Amino acid sequence: MQSIKVKSPATLSNLCCGFDILGMALNEPYDIIELIKKEETGIRIQHLDAYNLPLDPQQNIAGVALQAMMTALDYKQGFDLIIEKKIKPGSGIGSSAASAAGIVVAANELLGKPFNKQQLISFAMEGEVLASGSRHADNLAPCIYGGLVLIRDTPTLDIIELKTPPLFITIVHPQIEIKTSYAREILPKEILLKSAVIQWANVAGLVAGFLHADYKLISRSLQDVIVEPVRSKLIPGFNEVKHNCMNAGALGGGISGSGPSLFMLSENESTAILVENEMKAVYDKLGIDYKTYISTVAQHGVEVVI
Amino acid sequence: MQSIKVKSPATLSNLCCGFDILGMALNEPYDIIELIKKEETGIRIQHLDAYNLPLDPQQNIAGVALQAMMTALDYKQGFDLIIEKKIKPGSGIGSSAASAAGIVVAANELLGKPFNKQQLISFAMEGEVLASGSRHADNLAPCIYGGLVLIRDTPTLDIIELKTPPLFITIVHPQIEIKTSYAREILPKEILLKSAVIQWANVAGLVAGFLHADYKLISRSLQDVIVEPVRSKLIPGFNEVKHNCMNAGALGGGISGSGPSLFMLSENESTAILVENEMKAVYDKLGIDYKTYISTVAQHGVEVVI
């Protein structure tokens, strides 16, 4: 096999109370990444989108992730990368993870699967470090495993796959910029123990809600008393979007990753569409450009196409 | 029906990372509580044990719980209570909860079940307030529901029943005194966000481990980076017990409630016996009196006997 093309999904991370530990793969949107073996050494990158991402492999998220894998393999040849990003960088729905995870899964397939999923995450993490300076796997793990995953322990990559009942995810991406590093800086270093107990009670309820397919419990547990109160101030319209979407029947939701995208979970598609309309109405009124998506949970992560 | 006799189980609360939100009912030990209708008003208490617990109903945990229920019912007659406590008060395995939950379940049965389980917990909570000054349900809820329960929200008593695979619980109760109120006072008011994230990742892992019947995941998740480091200093032999029990094959464990009892979970009975031997060896060496128990999970809470 000389070349391969994969689809790499957007991902939700955090899911309200599950800050830094939960992530979910989405069927929409996704990037398309093509990888072609070449005889000469080195990584050559071509973009089929308008985001002006770096072409220097050492400055490119997919480039550094692929290089980490090539180094581990002591691989001597090179690759051409053709990347079509449909997940806008900085949107908060795992754009950098889709680049990094997509490329390492593609390369692993092309080279006869020398690595397991955990190893692929550790290569892809080099891309996340380049993107945000932190080694986190809450977008990479769902991007590679698919579905909903718990990252119980990041250093050892203890990844637990969790089943969910059918869910419809509505996302709105208001076109404002929030740096992941800034969204992290503004978080408190210390929190009240009593707030932490509320948070982990909701985390436990959310996990049980998913595994019991109990939508009402999912809804009651989708609360974040720690991160959302701080980060939501960075996102115009947050309170109104949340309030109106809940009134429209959403189970709950909040900030996707470190924002600015907001997500809402619904039990059925018709509610997800009502929720989308509420999101649009808020940003139309505010005069802020936006993009919306309605997605189901992607049961598989990065997938080979054709 | 003029009288009823119930068995009210001991309970584990916290289960390491699940501080204040998880509790589990045990088949051993348990209290026996007999309740007899009498024509005259008032509550008359008799104890069949040697703990010298108060006979004044307003100072007695079972008394105040029963009174709360009688007040809600506007019940005009009285009761004789005959209580045989086998769960030593102050042991950290839900002795006060067994008194409070046992009496309200017994009275509810005797009076034709006017109340549901949530309401029974709220009456029994008056007993917990008398015992420790705090309204907590992490022993009461498993005592009344049986099995493993999550208290997602205490004010609204949002109780979630969680299935577990077969488990054997070994408990050692070193005969030292730790006041619940003191064990609560020494906890930090604030904790690091990064420690809280570790804790809620383990809470999520523990819930998933129970619901997936994944013993290895349960074992990896039975960690407490917040409360155990503080409270374990109050319990002589803690580190040695934990270390030796893990070496003997326990899945994990820690402090039961606010101590001084320690618990260890095992996958099978033979391991639970090895664990018990390790516990005995430590306290024999330290010259501290102790009592040990081996129990399975009580699938039912308070039960009517004969």
Side-chain angles (χ1 to χ4, degrees), chain A:
Chain A
M1 209 160 55
Q2 284 302 304
S3 75
I4 191 168
K5 196 186 267 193
V6 297
K7 206 172 129 159
S8 191
T11 44
L12 284 185
S13 60
N14 298 349
L15 282 101
C16 300
C17 49
F19 176 68
D20 268 4
I21 67 158
L22 291 177
M24 182 186 273
L26 304 175
N27 279 316
E28 294 285 342
Y30 54 81
D31 292 344
I32 297 284
I33 300 176
E34 192 173 358
L35 185 67
I36 305 153
K37 281 185 188 167
K38 64 183 176 75
E39 290 303 316
E40 321 87 86
T41 58
I43 296 170
R44 190 165 51 193
I45 300 170
Q46 188 187 342
H47 285 113
L48 303 183
D49 51 58
Y51 298 125
N52 286 313
L53 294 172
L55 296 176
D56 174 358
Q58 292 180 21
Q59 298 302 318
N60 180 288
I61 289 164
V64 298
L66 179 57
Q67 186 58 60
M69 188 184 198
M70 288 163 67
T71 303
L73 272 181
D74 199 18
Y75 187 79
K76 298 296 186 201
Q77 288 174 271
F79 290 103
D80 274 313
L81 268 65
I82 306 171
I83 304 176
E84 183 186 0
K85 287 204 74 65
K86 297 180 178 183
I87 312 167
K88 189 170 176 178
S91 52
I93 49 173
S95 181
S96 58
S99 296
I103 198 71
V104 298
V105 172
N108 196 48
E109 289 286 330
L110 203 54
L111 300 174
K113 294 203 180 186
F115 298 112
N116 65 26
K117 288 178 177 177
Q118 263 186 331
Q119 292 170 306
L120 295 180
I121 291 176
S122 70
F123 299 135
M125 261 197 192
E126 298 302 323
E128 291 290 54
V129 171
L130 177 66
S132 70
S134 88
R135 297 185 72 78
H136 62 104
D138 49 347
N139 291 102
L140 290 174
C143 196
I144 288 180
Y145 283 76
L148 173 69
V149 299
L150 160 66
I151 299 95
R152 195 202 57 84
D153 186 55
T154 303
T156 60
L157 289 178
D158 188 3
I159 312 288
I160 321 297
E161 297 179 73
L162 304 173
K163 279 221 171 65
T164 70
L167 288 168
F168 292 81
I169 303 103
T170 315
I171 290 168
V172 62
H173 175 202
Q175 309 283 303
I176 59 168
E177 192 184 353
I178 297 177
K179 285 262 182 220
T180 304
S181 52
Y182 179 66
R184 207 157 259 281
E185 264 168 51
I186 61 168
L187 294 179
K189 293 262 176 306
E190 295 204 327
I191 59 173
L192 290 173
L193 173 57
K194 66 180 181 185
S195 303
V197 171
I198 293 171
Q199 192 90 347
W200 65 61
N202 282 316
V203 167
L206 190 57
V207 171
F210 285 128
L211 296 182
H212 287 170
D214 179 340
Y215 288 106
K216 287 182 181 165
L217 178 54
I218 293 170
S219 181
R220 295 197 301 277
S221 305
L222 278 171
Q223 294 187 40
D224 173 4
V225 297
I226 298 194
V227 174
E228 182 179 294
V230 179
R231 286 187 172 169
S232 61
K233 293 179 186 148
L234 304 178
I235 303 168
F238 176 87
N239 291 333
E240 207 174 343
V241 166
K242 188 160 178 181
H243 178 263
N244 296 358
C245 292
M246 296 300 291
N247 277 352
L251 296 169
I255 304 167
S256 175
S258 54
S261 287
L262 306 180
F263 77 100
M264 285 282 153
L265 303 187
S266 298
E267 196 175 334
N268 54 57
E269 193 172 12
S270 55
T271 306
I273 293 168
L274 293 175
V275 163
E276 185 184 34
N277 291 338
E278 295 296 339
M279 291 170 165
K280 287 177 174 176
V282 171
Y283 288 107
D284 281 341
K285 199 179 71 181
L286 289 172
I288 295 174
D289 278 348
Y290 60 85
K291 215 167 159 29
T292 57
Y293 304 92
I294 293 181
S295 176
T296 47
V297 183
Q299 297 304 331
H300 299 281
V302 181
E303 279 185 297
V304 178
V305 286
I306 51 170

Side-chain angles (χ1 to χ4, degrees), chain B residues 27-100:
Chain B
N27 279 316
E28 293 285 341
Y30 54 83
D31 292 344
I32 297 285
I33 299 175
E34 193 174 356
L35 185 67
I36 305 153
K37 281 185 188 169
K38 63 182 176 77
E39 290 303 316
E40 320 87 88
T41 58
I43 297 170
R44 188 165 51 192
I45 301 170
Q46 187 187 345
H47 286 112
L48 303 183
D49 51 58
Y51 297 125
N52 285 315
L53 293 172
L55 297 176
D56 173 358
Q58 292 179 21
Q59 297 304 316
N60 181 289
I61 290 163
V64 298
L66 179 57
Q67 187 58 59
M69 189 185 199
M70 287 164 68
T71 303
L73 271 180
D74 198 18
Y75 188 78
K76 299 295 187 200
Q77 287 174 272
F79 291 102
D80 274 312
L81 269 63
I82 306 172
I83 304 175
E84 183 186 1
K85 287 204 73 66
K86 298 180 179 184
I87 312 166
K88 190 170 174 179
S91 52
I93 49 172
S95 180
S96 58
S99 296

